[in-house]
Amino acid sequence: QTVVTQEPSFSVSPGGTVTLTCGLTSGSVSTTSYSSWYQQTPGQAPRTLIYSTNIRSSGVPDRFSGSILGNKAALTITGAQADDESEYHCALYLGSGIWVFGGGTKLTVL
Amino acid sequence: QVQLQESGPGLVKPSETLSLTCGVSGYFISGAYYWGWVRQPPGKGLEWIGSVHRSGNTYYNASLTSRLTMSVDTSKNQFSLQLSSVTATDTAIYYCARIVAAAATKGFDYWGQGTLVTVSS
């Protein structure tokens, strides 16, 4: 069974830069994984930040960026702000219409 | 602006069938996108349930496929989920979403607000 791995938690200082990653227990993430990233605050629905590795969703500030780093997908937040404190979920496309989500990373800004 | 709205019972008895509908506004469901369901058990991460196209083509999570049916109703601009033989482990917030599924671009772009479904007698 394919499992998507994310850091359970991460912290960043206000104004700092943080990179969250999204990997596979078996295999490497590439552009054909069409990695995507979603931000979720408590009690709210997910908000799409990035899809297809590096395409920013409408209205998402350019301090959020997606990429492939080594064999993982990455979400980089530059100039972190207090309201970036959220859960960040990644999703990977496994082919044949199949998607899998990671367990999420809880980001603290302090 | 594309908007999605889930509807359905908030309480389902064990062994019964969970049925949800997602109404879409701001976009004709007969277009090129797939339409999907994602759920989130209390305090846990997101789980992709399945995706459906206006053509009737479906993709299901392998762990749910034996209990799952998804369909599209283009006349009502909505799509639906049915999950049979539910147990307490199916208790979750259920989200519907639009899925970009072009040749070189894929991902979930719009989400509904979610609806909590509790399985309990």
Side-chain angles (χ1 to χ4, degrees), chain A residues 23-65:
Chain A
L24 287 168
T25 52
S26 56
S28 298
V29 177
S30 67
T31 54
T32 59
S33 304
Y34 300 97
S35 53
S36 50
W37 294 90
Y38 308 92
Q39 178 189 49
Q40 187 181 34
T41 53
Q44 299 297 312
R47 169 199 180 200
T48 300
L49 296 175
I50 302 286
Y51 61 95
S52 279
T53 306
N54 56 13
I55 299 176
R56 258 186 303 276
S57 188
S58 177
V60 174
D62 59 8
R63 55 197 188 77
F64 291 91
S65 62

Side-chain angles (χ1 to χ4, degrees), chain B residues 66-110:
Chain B
S66 63
R67 302 191 289 131
L68 188 59
T69 302
M70 294 177 59
S71 61
V72 171
D73 186 338
T74 55
S75 66
K76 295 182 179 179
N77 219 45
Q78 64 185 31
F79 60 103
S80 300
L81 161 76
Q82 288 191 310
L83 185 66
S84 64
S85 305
V86 296
T87 69
T89 59
D90 295 308
T91 293
I93 298 173
Y94 284 75
Y95 297 100
C96 59
R98 191 177 79 168
I99 304 171
V100 180
T105 306
K106 302 185 195 305
F108 300 75
D109 62 354
Y110 288 95

